[in-house]
Amino acid sequence: MGRGKIAIRRIENQTTRQVTFSKRRAGLLKKTHELSVLCDAQIGLIIFSSTGKLCQYCTEGLRMEQLIERYQKMSGTRIPEHDSREQLFGELAMLRNETRRLQSNMRRYTGEDTSSIPFEELDEVEQELERSVIKVRDRKNELLHQQLENLRRKERMLEEENSNMYRWIQEHRVALEYQQAAMEAKPVEPQQVLDQFPFCGEPSSVLQLSTISHQIDPYHLQLAQPCLQGSSV
């Protein structure tokens, strides 16, 4: 069973179109090379894809420019030659004139060199400046309103966070009070009590004993006085 006949029309699907182009381009280049070699023909082939990519083939030993020049001679069509320097000079002069005109207009709006401007043009410049000032003010007010709206939105977000935090504290208030009471009722370690009384134990030196006596003084400890009255011997 043979292959069905394909209708020759533009392929709508882009992927299918690219695949078909690649396959048929390779076949076309192959057939062109075979025709050039077998028949000793001078062939120049130029292909532009739908994406603008250039693909060309030229018979070996020749250049594409030579084939194009030969085609122009044989067909009688010749591309007119222009001096690109004259075109560049013309474009440069036009740009210079446009730059001078724009600079002159800018000096009018900045208030420079207004002595040669007639009254009608000055009035027109004044009106344009007033319209420009109105546009600038409108844009400035718009930006201020946007900043104010952003600040209000930020304020609402902070108030909401504050309310959520206050609600959380109220919900966990009992647990926090219980935890605080437990921390206050925590028993004191014996070692901490001993550390508060450094005079426990035997002093190692007279200096340490003197220091201990000053620490004991606030407790108003008094040494027992010996009884001087006694029976005579």
Side-chain angles (χ1 to χ4, degrees):
M1 186 174 180
R3 296 176 57 186
K5 187 177 181 180
I6 301 177
I8 304 300
R9 62 173 180 266
R10 184 178 182 271
I11 301 175
E12 299 298 334
N13 187 281
Q14 184 178 1
T15 303
T16 306
R17 186 167 62 247
Q18 291 292 337
V19 173
T20 304
F21 174 78
S22 299
K23 292 181 178 179
R24 293 188 176 249
R25 179 191 59 185
L28 179 60
L29 292 175
K30 181 180 178 181
K31 293 296 183 182
T32 303
H33 176 69
E34 292 176 356
L35 179 62
S36 175
V37 175
L38 294 176
C39 301
D40 194 19
Q42 298 178 359
I43 303 176
L45 177 64
I46 300 175
I47 304 174
F48 288 99
S49 66
S50 59
T51 58
K53 185 178 180 180
L54 171 65
C55 181
Q56 63 180 355
Y57 172 83
C58 184
T59 302
E60 295 182 1
L62 296 176
R63 292 183 295 107
M64 186 64 70
E65 292 80 2
Q66 295 176 348
L67 293 177
I68 293 176
E69 184 178 358
R70 183 176 179 182
Y71 167 77
Q72 291 176 351
K73 290 180 179 180
M74 296 297 295
S75 61
T77 58
R78 191 167 186 82
I79 301 175
E81 297 180 357
H82 297 282
D83 191 354
S84 59
R85 293 177 297 177
E86 294 181 0
Q87 182 179 0
L88 292 176
F89 289 151
E91 293 179 356
L92 183 60
M94 183 177 62
L95 291 176
R96 286 177 178 174
N97 294 332
E98 184 67 17
T99 302
R100 293 192 189 97
R101 187 182 66 82
L102 293 175
Q103 289 177 351
S104 177
N105 292 336
M106 289 299 297
R107 284 196 294 269
R108 293 182 180 182
Y109 291 112
T110 56
E112 301 176 1
D113 193 17
T114 58
S115 58
S116 60
I117 303 176
F119 176 80
E120 292 78 7
E121 294 185 6
L122 287 175
D123 185 51
E124 183 179 355
V125 170
E126 182 181 4
Q127 294 178 2
E128 291 180 359
L129 290 176
E130 289 178 354
R131 287 193 293 268
S132 301
V133 170
I134 293 174
K135 292 181 180 179
V136 171
R137 288 176 179 173
D138 293 340
R139 179 57 179 169
K140 180 180 178 181
N141 293 331
E142 182 181 356
L143 293 177
L144 289 177
H145 285 305
Q146 291 179 0
Q147 293 179 0
L148 182 61
E149 185 64 25
N150 293 335
L151 291 176
R152 289 176 178 174
R153 190 181 301 108
K154 186 175 181 181
E155 181 182 3
R156 288 193 296 268
M157 293 175 60
L158 293 176
E159 289 178 353
E160 185 177 356
E161 291 180 0
N162 190 14
S163 300
N164 294 335
M165 185 177 297
Y166 178 77
R167 192 180 305 109
W168 183 88
I169 292 175
Q170 293 296 329
E171 293 175 355
H172 297 76
R173 184 176 182 180
V174 178
L176 293 174
E177 291 178 354
Y178 177 78
Q179 184 178 3
Q180 184 177 3
M183 293 178 62
E184 292 178 355
K186 185 177 181 181
V188 182
E189 297 293 336
Q191 184 62 34
Q192 296 179 357
V193 177
L194 293 177
D195 292 341
Q196 296 178 0
F197 297 94
F199 53 82
C200 297
E202 297 181 357
S204 59
S205 64
V206 177
L207 181 59
Q208 184 178 1
L209 180 61
S210 175
T211 305
I212 294 175
S213 63
H214 287 291
Q215 296 178 355
I216 297 177
D217 183 66
Y219 294 93
H220 304 287
L221 299 179
Q222 296 180 0
L223 298 176
Q225 298 293 334
C227 182
L228 301 178
Q229 295 179 359
S231 56
S232 59
V233 179

